[in-house]
Structures are given as structure tokens and as C-alpha cells.
Amino acid sequence: MMQKKLIVVALTAAIALPIQAMADNGNFTFYGKADVSYDMINTGDGMNTANGATAIKGVSKRVVSSNVSKFGFKGGEDLGNGLSAIWQVEQQIDIDAAAKNTFASRNTFAGLKSDIAGTILFGIHDTPYKLATRKLDVFGDSIADNRSLLGGVKTTSAVAAFDGRPTDVLAYISPSFGGVSAAVALVNLKEANTNDTQANDSATSLSVSYSAGPIYAAVGYESHKLESAAIATSGDTESATKVGFGFSQDAFSVGVVYEKTTDDLAANKDSKYGHTAAYISGQFKFGNSAVKAAVGKSGEIGSGAAKIANSDASQVSVGYDYGLSKNTKVYAIFSKITNGKGINYGFSQSTAAGTSNSGFGTSPSVLSLGVQQNF
């Protein structure tokens, strides 16, 4: 009997010591979100090539999807005089595909935060440009996310994507002065040794926002300097500018985003991926319920000889949420993208999104039924 008691005491001490050590290191929080849905996707009929004549038959699937499910650890230490040391480690969890999971794939950083001077952080982080209008997307982090059309044309290279979460980020976030705050990030897009005749690929991202009462407004700007021939012709650049406005009063809210991207990546320095995009959304809450809708539109891509005919697209989404508690809701979403004959946009953010488009000129649609729990 005495031996069993000694074993229990030893186990208790072994568990308590690490917990006490974490407590001694400052405030520590574990948080996350589990968001899983059953998605019914149809890609719609289309073509094999841009503006081509050879038709392809659309395909469909029924699949369980994970929608930016995640968990994280964050904490800090009070250093006195309004100064704190802060840190965070965050990981996306694909609940339906464990083999894809890694660690620290989302915003992961360390830094210093001053009540007076602002916050500086180092690590992996969303760019200020990306964050400037994220709160205006009523379908954010779902398969109907507006980044299907916004954020730049998604390609297999490092160019033409402005909704990123890059590594090698040095960022500064100002305090709020009368509702106005600003952020700037410097990003090294290519981590490699260079000599005096070489230059690294880099990005600069900026945002200014205003939030007071029912009004939110923001402007974002990001530029990429592409010196590496592995990414583009040496000396090429690309940039994006966007503005957003939101109004929320009682149960009703509305948001508007306009974005313009440009580059000199095509021959004769024409724009290869540059285009405009716009997004309008609204939400109405009543009791435990919320209904929401959004419309997105993306213009034709490129300029001059590089312009791609019929490369415009639109997206329409509607949804319904029902809150079961403060942290848990069930939801239904329907979204449809209509592509021109010269483009093949698909859905994003969900694990089901990768195969949501089977060709140019398709009209992929999805009905998503899910549950989300925050912790």
C-alpha cells in the first residue's frame, strides 16, 4: 500500500513541475478552432485550355472537409513600464487529412509590445496588406472565402499572391491613436547568401486602418521586388493596393473591398497578372441566427499584348449560421464561381478546395454543411 502511495506522489510531482515551470514563465494561453463540414462540390463543365474549344465534363464529389481548423499557444512576460515580451506558436490542423499536418505553420513569432510605442515582432506572420480587410469577409476561412478571387492571381510561383503568410518577417504595429493604427512589414522572400552583385527578393507591406464606433476603414499596399531569375526576370516588380470600408449597427453589418494589382512581368514590361477585383458583403443577426450574403467580381487579367481575353470571374455566396452556444455554431453555405472562358478560379481555404475546379470556363459550386467550435 505504501509503495502505491509513493508511486502516486511521484507521478503527481512529475506532472506538476512542468505546469509550474510554464506558470513561472509568464501568462500562457492555449486556444484554437475546430471547423469541419460536409461539402458537396460540382466543378461544372468547361474547357481544357483558355478560350479553347475542346469541352470537358464537370465532376462532383462529397467529402468531409477541414476549414482552417487550428490550435495555438501564446504568452508573454510583463517587463514593467508598459513593456511586455510576447510570443506565439500556431498550427493549422487538417482534421480530415492528418498526413498533411506539420507544426508552427501559421503565425509563429516572438517580439516586444509597448503600450506607448507599439509592437515589433519577428517570425512567420500575415502581412499588413492581407490583414487590412480580412474582417470585412463574412465568409472568412470557409470554402466561400473571398480570397478565391481577391489577393492576386494564384500561381505556382512566388509572384502574384498578396494574401500571404511569409516567413522572414520583421513587422511593426502601432498603437491606436483616436481609432487610427498602422502596420508595416519587411519580408525577405528568398533566404540565401548573396554577394555584392546579387540582391534578395523582398516585399514591403503596409496598412492604415480606422476603427471607431460602427465604422471601419482600411487601406493596404504591398510591393514585391523580384531580383532572382528563378522567380522572374531580374528587376521585375509587382504591387497591389486595396481599400475597404465596413459599417456595423446593431444586428446589421456591411463590408466593401476594392483591389488593384499590377506588375511588369510580361514582355515589354506589360502587366502579366494585374487586374482589379471587388467584394461586397452583408450580414443580419437575429436571436441565435445570422444570414449573410456576398458578391465578388474579378476583372480581366493582364495588359497590352499580355491581356487574357475572357479572364474575368464572379462569385456569389449565401449562408446561414445558428449559434448553439457562445463558442459553437452550425452553418450552411452555398457558393458559386462563374469563370470566363480564359480563366479557372477555384475555391480556397478548405481542404476540399484544391480540386474544386476542373478547367477553364467552369462554374464550380458548393453546398457546405458544418459545425465550428472555438476554444
Side-chain angles (χ1 to χ4, degrees):
M1 190 66 172
M2 179 60 70
Q3 184 179 16
K4 291 182 178 180
K5 289 182 178 180
L6 290 174
I7 293 174
V8 171
V9 171
L11 288 174
T12 302
I15 296 172
L17 284 174
I19 294 175
Q20 181 62 44
M22 286 190 294
D24 290 341
N25 285 332
N27 294 326
F28 174 86
T29 301
F30 175 71
Y31 66 94
K33 179 182 72 172
D35 189 329
V36 185
S37 61
Y38 184 73
D39 295 344
M40 293 157 274
I41 298 175
N42 191 302
T43 66
D45 298 337
M47 295 167 291
N48 287 319
T49 60
N51 292 295
T54 304
I56 59 173
K57 185 72 174 176
V59 294
S60 62
K61 65 179 178 180
R62 308 287 187 271
V63 61
V64 172
S65 305
S66 183
N67 306 288
V68 195
S69 298
K70 60 186 178 182
F71 74 86
F73 307 86
K74 61 183 177 181
E77 180 182 6
D78 186 354
L79 303 176
N81 298 317
L83 182 66
S84 300
I86 59 172
W87 62 271
Q88 177 176 295
V89 177
E90 188 172 285
Q91 166 62 31
Q92 182 165 321
I93 299 297
D94 292 340
I95 295 176
D96 64 323
K100 297 180 181 179
N101 293 325
T102 56
F103 190 68
S105 62
R106 291 178 59 83
N107 290 346
T108 300
F109 58 85
L112 295 171
K113 180 178 181 180
S114 168
D115 295 339
I116 299 174
T119 301
I120 186 168
L121 55 87
F122 311 82
I124 304 170
H125 205 276
D126 295 330
T127 62
Y129 181 88
K130 174 183 177 180
L131 294 174
T133 58
R134 274 287 71 217
K135 66 187 300 180
L136 299 176
D137 185 358
V138 295
F139 292 101
D141 288 346
S142 76
I143 199 167
D145 192 294
N146 69 14
R147 284 171 286 179
S148 297
L149 302 186
L150 274 68
V153 180
K154 311 304 186 293
T155 70
T156 56
S157 67
V159 301
F162 294 95
D163 60 352
R165 182 183 299 116
T167 59
D168 291 293
V169 174
L170 168 60
Y172 168 76
I173 305 166
S174 78
S176 177
F177 299 101
V180 177
S181 60
V184 58
L186 304 178
V187 184
N188 186 354
L189 296 176
K190 181 186 178 185
E191 188 174 286
N193 295 332
T194 57
N195 58 38
D196 57 2
T197 64
Q198 298 172 315
N200 280 334
D201 306 307
S202 61
T204 302
S205 186
L206 310 165
S207 70
V208 178
S209 63
Y210 172 78
S211 182
I215 296 175
Y216 177 81
V219 58
Y221 174 79
E222 185 167 313
S223 66
H224 299 171
K225 185 177 181 181
L226 308 172
E227 296 289 349
S228 171
I231 295 180
T233 302
S234 180
D236 284 346
T237 61
E238 60 178 356
S239 63
T241 304
K242 66 178 173 181
V243 294
F245 175 80
F247 180 83
S248 180
Q249 185 68 45
D250 298 326
F252 175 74
S253 63
V254 62
V256 179
V257 179
Y258 176 80
E259 178 179 62
K260 179 178 177 59
T261 68
T262 186
D263 61 66
D264 55 9
L265 301 175
N268 300 319
K269 294 299 182 178
D270 285 334
S271 182
K272 186 175 183 179
Y273 300 109
H275 69 297
T276 60
Y279 176 78
I280 302 174
S281 65
Q283 180 173 255
F284 180 74
K285 297 179 180 180
F286 54 98
N288 293 336
S289 300
V291 292
K292 49 192 178 182
V295 178
K297 175 69 176 177
S298 179
E300 288 189 324
I301 297 168
S303 66
K307 188 171 184 178
I308 302 174
N310 303 306
S311 56
D312 56 322
S314 61
Q315 181 179 13
V316 177
S317 306
V318 294
Y320 171 76
D321 296 347
Y322 183 80
L324 299 174
S325 71
K326 179 181 178 181
N327 297 317
T328 303
K329 71 175 183 179
V330 293
Y331 61 84
I333 297 172
F334 176 80
S335 187
K336 182 176 181 177
I337 297 174
T338 303
N339 284 305
K341 293 189 296 181
I343 197 63
N344 57 347
Y345 289 104
F347 297 116
S348 67
Q349 308 312 309
S350 168
T351 56
T355 55
S356 62
N357 194 344
S358 58
F360 291 86
T362 58
S363 296
S365 61
V366 59
L367 175 62
S368 179
L369 306 175
V371 58
Q372 179 186 111
Q373 184 173 33
N374 296 284
F375 55 90

